[in-house]
């Protein structure tokens, strides 16, 4: 090397930029710093990623968690892309369903399918523009974060897209710095990230009290590392129990980043995303009744509730009485008829907690030829009480539960009713009364559907009145129109759910359960959301075109632009972390 070519003293001949790597405990380092030869008088710059972890906990809806039996055999799982693995349930009898889907003999199954990120190295491959793997090292493995507990058919792609979106922008920024190094130009035009969240900046999504996402808010967001967890639970079990377990799960997640992964690089709060019934669990966990367990609201930064059945839904009554045959394959698997479905739901607390609450629109059920809503007004409150008028009644044919739907032995029938009655009185009613206190996290966001026909109200319509000389030996079946739901028979032919026999006039009347087909998401009607969307605790709410089961549906990172519910959710997360001091992340 000639003198001319020799560097001046302290002159930097080369600036190199180095991407981080993570060890198995989640600590960050730069392993290639020593690769630059000293004679070049080089300057190495470490590209620093976010290191402070904010866990994001997703809570599935009813039927959204994989279940197994005592022998670890799957009972409810949907790992196939276009089908349900437990299809044998579709042909099972009511007796077999009652045995399989039993709250006492089912448990959360964590061995379901989930999308795996490449964890064979710290970076997916050698290309500079590929993202870091979150499946181990940088974050705990996805399996350890509960991804195998979520029903793959409903949430597999969403979880992968959500995790990728929350990591995308800062990774794009880091790789842009690396690209600038290779161009040898400080004017590299790709300095600004093209990440998916940056596309939301200053773009309107809609909704109440909408506040556009700003550049400063996104820059603040990029100071944190977001780790997606799944809280799976037994969706047959009392939601109050699942709520108590959720508080313990949150503690365990926070302890993971304090003591086991990342060397304490975690704040003391989590973000919660919920789907359907998962929202009821989160609400109860954050504000439980006094004397039960310690609530977790002080450990939650904020909540996004997706299609929450805040005051229940008449769809729960309909499914009990006529089955779910018209709700696609999942409905058929759960139970196409009342005989198949009622035998399961009548002793499963969580599904019963989805029934319309006392505060739900009082006229949600009408009996033609028997007056309007079959209820009496409580002289104290001036309200209708569905427990006294429907749920706990045994003397009317529109009652919720038929204790002889499967069993014919008088002793079994009597025991069925006692068990159901006590469950409704001691668990379901108490749970609903507590939820009606309208206790919400002060940093709540809500999205819901309005464009799919729903069971806002139901009517038992008088379909046929047939004069007969003798009582029919079995219920008569008339040809219904395709757009109306059939009422299937109970076991008691003298007072069953399909028809009513009047012995004095020798008339047999067939009733059909007809839906109002109003605004909602196909399961949760807009009437169920009145309390939560009008609460002062709700920062913003979005009415959109989602259907209930696919509320969080998204196909890819690019597809986010077509999914307002996902865009709303991601923007809400960015808003929630603005209260976290950046200095705590340095």
């Amino acid at each position: 090397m000639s003198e001319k070519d020799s560097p001046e003293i302290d002159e930097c001949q080369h600036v190199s930029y180095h991407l981080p790597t993570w060890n198995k405990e989640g600590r960050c380092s730069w392993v290639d710093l020593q690769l630059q030869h000293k004679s070049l008088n080089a300057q190495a710059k470490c590209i620093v990623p976010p290191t402070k972890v904010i866990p994001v906990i997703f809570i599935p809806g009813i039927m959204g968690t994989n279940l197994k039996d005592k022998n670890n055999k799957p009972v409810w799982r949907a790992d196939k892309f276009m089908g349900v693995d437990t299809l044998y349930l579709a042909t099972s009898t009511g007796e077999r369903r009652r045995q399989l889907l039993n709250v006492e003999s089912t448990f959360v199954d964590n061995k379901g399918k989930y999308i795996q990120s490449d964890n064979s190295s710290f970076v997916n491959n050698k290309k500079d523009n590929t993202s870091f793997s979150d499946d181990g090292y940088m974050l705990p493995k996805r399996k350890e974060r509960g991804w195998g507990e979520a029903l793959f058919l409903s949430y597999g792609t969403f979880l992968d897209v959500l995790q990728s979106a929350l990591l995308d922008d800062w990774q794009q920024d880091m790789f842009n710095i690396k690209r600038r190094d290779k161009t040898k130009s400080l004017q590299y035009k790709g300095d600004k990230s093209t990440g998916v969240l940056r596309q939301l900046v200053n773009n309107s999504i809609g909704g109440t009290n909408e506040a556009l996402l700003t550049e400063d808010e996104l820059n603040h967001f990029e100071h944190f590392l977001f780790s997606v967890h799944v809280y799976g639970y037994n969706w047959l079990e009392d939601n109050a129990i699942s709520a108590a377990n959720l508080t313990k799960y949150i503690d365990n997640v926070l302890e993971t980043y304090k003591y086991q992964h990342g060397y304490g690089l975690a704040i003391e709060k989590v973000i919660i995303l919920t789907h359907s019934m998962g929202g009821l669990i989160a609400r109860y966990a954050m504000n439980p009744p006094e004397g039960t367990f310690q609530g977790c609201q002080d450990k939650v930064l904020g909540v996004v509730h997706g299609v929450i059945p805040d005051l229940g839904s008449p769809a729960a009554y309909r499914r009990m009485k006529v089955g779910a045959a018209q709700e696609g394959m999942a409905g058929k698997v759960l139970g196409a008829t009342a005989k198949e479905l009622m035998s399961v739901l009548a002793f499963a607390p969580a599904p019963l907690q989805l029934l319309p609450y006392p505060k739900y629109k009082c006229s949600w059920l009408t009996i033609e030829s028997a007056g309007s809503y079959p209820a009496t007004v409580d002289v104290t409150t001036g309200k209708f009480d569905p427990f006294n008028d429907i749920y706990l009644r045994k003397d009317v044919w529109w009652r919720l539960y038929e204790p002889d739907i499967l069993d014919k032995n008088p002793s079994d029938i009597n025991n069925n009713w006692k068990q159901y009655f006590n469950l409704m009185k001691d668990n379901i009613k108490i749970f609903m009364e507590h939820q009606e206190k309208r206790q919400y996290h002060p940093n709540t966001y809500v999205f819901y559907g309005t464009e799919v026909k729903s069971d806002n109200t139901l009517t038992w319509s008088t379909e046929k009145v047939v004069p007969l000389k003798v009582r029919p030996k079995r219920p008569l079946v008339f040809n219904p129109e395709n757009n109306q739901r059939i009422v299937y028979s109970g076991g008691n032919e003298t007072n069953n759910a399909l028809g009513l026999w009047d012995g004095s006039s020798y008339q047999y009347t067939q009733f059909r359960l007809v839906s109002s087909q109003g605004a909602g998401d196909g399961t949760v009607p807009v009437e169920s959301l009145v309390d939560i969307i009008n609460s002062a605790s709700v920062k913003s709410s979005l009415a959109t075109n989602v259907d209930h089961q696919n509320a969080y549906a998204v196909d890819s990172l690019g597809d986010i632009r077509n999914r307002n519910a996902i865009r709303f959710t991601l923007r809400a997360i960015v808003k929630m972390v603005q209260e976290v001091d950046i200095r705590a992340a340095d």
Side-chain angles (χ1 to χ4, degrees), residues 208-283:
T208 63
N209 302 321
E210 181 181 34
L212 298 184
L213 184 63
T214 68
E215 187 83 24
D216 288 343
E217 287 174 329
L218 182 59
N219 291 337
H220 181 93
F221 167 86
E222 291 184 10
H223 283 83
F224 305 98
L225 188 64
F226 294 84
S227 179
V228 175
H229 288 249
V230 174
Y231 171 67
Y233 60 94
N234 188 338
W235 44 268
L236 298 168
E237 193 170 44
D238 190 339
N239 283 320
I241 296 176
S242 298
N245 291 334
L246 173 60
T247 63
K248 299 175 184 177
Y249 181 77
I250 290 174
D251 287 339
N252 290 337
V253 168
L254 291 174
E255 288 178 4
T256 294
Y257 297 102
K258 287 174 64 177
Y259 304 118
Q260 301 172 31
H261 194 96
Y263 288 76
L265 299 179
I267 67 167
E268 297 303 314
K269 292 186 179 183
V270 303
I271 290 171
I272 293 179
L273 309 183
T274 76
H275 180 218
S276 186
M277 190 172 74
L280 303 184
I281 293 172
R283 283 192 54 210

Side-chain angles (χ1 to χ4, degrees), residues 303-521:
V303 184
V304 176
H305 288 305
V307 295
I308 180 175
D310 199 53
L311 292 176
S313 171
Y317 175 87
R318 171 181 52 81
R319 290 167 179 163
M320 279 279 284
K321 297 298 288 186
V322 306
Q326 295 190 6
E327 297 184 40
M329 179 56 69
K332 292 179 180 179
V333 173
L334 184 61
T337 67
K339 183 173 288 188
E340 295 170 352
L341 209 155
M342 186 184 293
S343 56
V344 173
L345 300 187
F347 304 107
L352 292 174
Q353 288 163 343
L354 297 177
L355 287 162
Y357 286 26
K359 284 188 66 176
Y360 186 91
K361 184 178 180 180
C362 64
S363 58
W364 66 268
L365 183 62
T366 298
I367 312 297
E368 279 190 3
S369 75
S372 58
Y373 183 78
T376 56
V377 176
D378 187 306
V379 295
T380 304
T381 63
K383 296 180 180 179
F384 295 102
D385 184 352
F387 284 90
N388 290 337
D389 302 322
I390 304 172
Y391 306 155
L392 297 179
R393 292 191 71 170
K394 190 179 181 181
D395 60 333
V396 292
W397 60 266
W398 62 76
R399 60 189 176 184
L400 180 65
Y401 177 49
E402 304 288 333
D404 57 353
I405 190 86
L406 291 179
D407 301 305
K408 306 308 174 188
N409 184 294
S411 178
D412 291 336
I413 295 172
N414 187 50
N415 288 334
N416 286 345
W417 180 259
K418 286 183 178 179
Q419 184 179 348
Y420 162 80
F421 184 90
N422 290 333
L423 177 62
M424 292 296 295
K425 179 174 63 70
D426 297 334
N427 294 81
I428 311 307
K429 186 175 184 179
I430 292 174
F431 180 88
M432 289 184 179
E433 289 175 344
H434 176 72
Q435 296 288 71
E436 286 186 333
K437 294 179 180 178
R438 304 180 75 238
Q439 295 174 307
Y440 304 105
H441 190 281
N443 198 12
T444 293
Y445 293 78
V446 181
F447 73 82
Y448 57 99
T450 59
E451 300 182 21
V452 184
K453 294 179 180 179
S454 305
D455 299 323
N456 314 73
T457 62
L458 296 168
T459 299
W460 283 106
S461 174
T462 304
E463 177 65 15
K464 296 284 186 178
V465 179
V466 182
L468 297 173
K469 293 182 179 181
V470 295
R471 187 184 71 190
K473 293 182 179 180
R474 59 182 178 179
L476 304 181
V477 178
F478 302 96
N479 293 327
E481 297 176 3
N482 292 331
N483 65 344
Q484 293 180 320
R485 297 183 172 93
I486 304 302
V487 181
Y488 291 85
S489 173
N492 185 347
E493 290 184 358
T494 63
N495 198 18
N496 61 66
L498 178 61
L500 184 63
W501 168 253
D502 186 346
S504 62
S505 61
Y506 288 95
Q507 285 188 340
Y508 183 86
T509 304
Q510 177 175 293
F511 290 91
R512 181 184 301 171
L513 193 58
V514 181
S515 169
S516 62
Q517 300 286 284
D521 61 27

